[in-house]
Amino acid sequence: MSARRTDDSSVVVIGLGRFGSRLAGSLLQLDHDVLAIDHEQDRVQRWASRLDRVVQADTTEENVLRQLGVADFRRVVVAIGASVEASVLTVLALTELGIPQIWARATSEKHAKILRSVGVHHVIFPEAETGERVAHLIVSRMLDVMEFGDDFAIAKVRVPASLVGRALRELAPIDRYGVMVVGAKLPDEPFRYADPDTVLQPGSVLIVEGPIDRVQQFAALG
């Protein structure tokens, strides 16, 4: 499986503990290809029949990651939780490969600070994040999301470029985009509830609600 950094449907998950395995499963449910890597053979065997591709490997070695084709992926999640050293060394190897989006699990604020200092773009605290929620954030342009049941969500998204300069009243018909805009945060202004006369500016952030698939589609508008 090769992504060549042009396939946004592929994600690497390193570490198949409780959080990593749930994240990998959630990504599959969202129809995204997953390359899962873990250093423990029993975990690899346990998940071999459930995930697209599972490999046993030492991810702290850059040359190993390169041989596995990890350099071809745009997004990698380091879900290692048992060893801070392995987590940090893996991130360092990924930064050497030039991975555009590195997400990593942190077990403490100190760990998070170290991860950010060595090149992590997004830090995850599993105690506060579910695998399902993180999966949505990784594969979409949503800045934040809260799901209600299996098919409804409220999300924070950047205003799509195609909607810049338009008033919120033009987004009002729910059948046009399938979502409802409930609030807006314009640059250098406080958050406001949806006002039909609000004109969207570059850098605006919207709060939208609706079916999860329609919210994702709205966030992906160009």
Side-chain angles (χ1 to χ4, degrees):
M1 179 171 56
S2 178
R4 298 310 306 168
R5 295 197 179 169
T6 60
D7 182 0
D8 284 337
S9 70
S10 301
V11 182
V12 179
V13 176
I14 298 176
L16 286 174
R18 181 178 300 177
F19 178 75
S21 58
R22 287 180 177 175
L23 173 62
S26 296
L27 289 168
L28 287 180
Q29 290 181 348
L30 293 173
D31 295 324
H32 288 267
D33 296 325
V34 175
L35 166 59
I37 309 173
D38 197 284
H39 73 287
E40 292 188 12
Q41 182 61 33
D42 61 337
R43 285 181 177 173
V44 171
Q45 293 177 339
R46 189 184 314 152
W47 290 97
S49 62
R50 308 185 215 180
L51 301 175
D52 296 339
R53 183 182 172 197
V54 188
V55 180
Q56 180 187 15
D58 179 2
T59 57
T60 64
E61 298 291 337
E62 178 188 343
N63 64 321
V64 172
L65 295 176
R66 194 178 298 277
Q67 291 171 6
L68 292 175
V70 174
D72 294 336
F73 289 76
R74 294 188 59 84
R75 294 168 297 194
V76 178
V77 184
V78 180
I80 299 172
S83 169
V84 172
E85 180 182 4
S87 167
V88 173
L89 291 177
T90 295
V91 169
L92 284 171
L94 292 170
T95 58
E96 289 297 316
L97 294 180
I99 303 300
Q101 292 186 40
I102 302 175
W103 298 63
R105 169 185 179 175
T107 55
S108 67
E109 288 293 345
K110 184 176 181 179
H111 185 193
K113 185 176 181 179
I114 295 172
L115 290 173
R116 294 188 183 99
S117 70
V118 296
V120 167
H121 305 106
H122 307 275
V123 173
I124 305 164
F125 287 95
E127 293 78 11
E129 310 272 12
T130 65
E132 294 81 0
R133 179 175 179 275
V134 173
H136 278 295
L137 296 177
I138 290 172
V139 301
S140 75
R141 295 184 181 180
M142 293 185 288
L143 301 176
D144 202 355
V145 62
M146 180 178 294
E147 296 180 51
F148 299 87
D150 297 328
D151 59 357
F152 189 84
I154 295 177
K156 179 167 68 174
V157 304
R158 291 189 179 88
V159 62
S162 60
L163 301 182
V164 170
R166 297 173 62 179
L168 279 179
R169 68 172 69 255
E170 299 180 55
L171 283 62
I174 195 166
D175 57 347
R176 178 170 298 176
Y177 296 105
V179 301
M180 180 177 293
V181 178
V182 297
K185 171 70 172 65
L186 278 59
D188 302 319
E189 294 187 21
F191 172 85
R192 66 178 67 176
Y193 287 103
D195 180 335
D197 296 321
T198 299
V199 177
L200 300 176
Q201 304 171 17
S204 299
V205 173
L206 304 179
I207 305 298
V208 301
E209 64 180 23
I212 293 174
D213 58 339
R214 300 305 296 271
V215 170
Q216 289 180 320
Q217 291 170 15
F218 181 82
L221 288 174

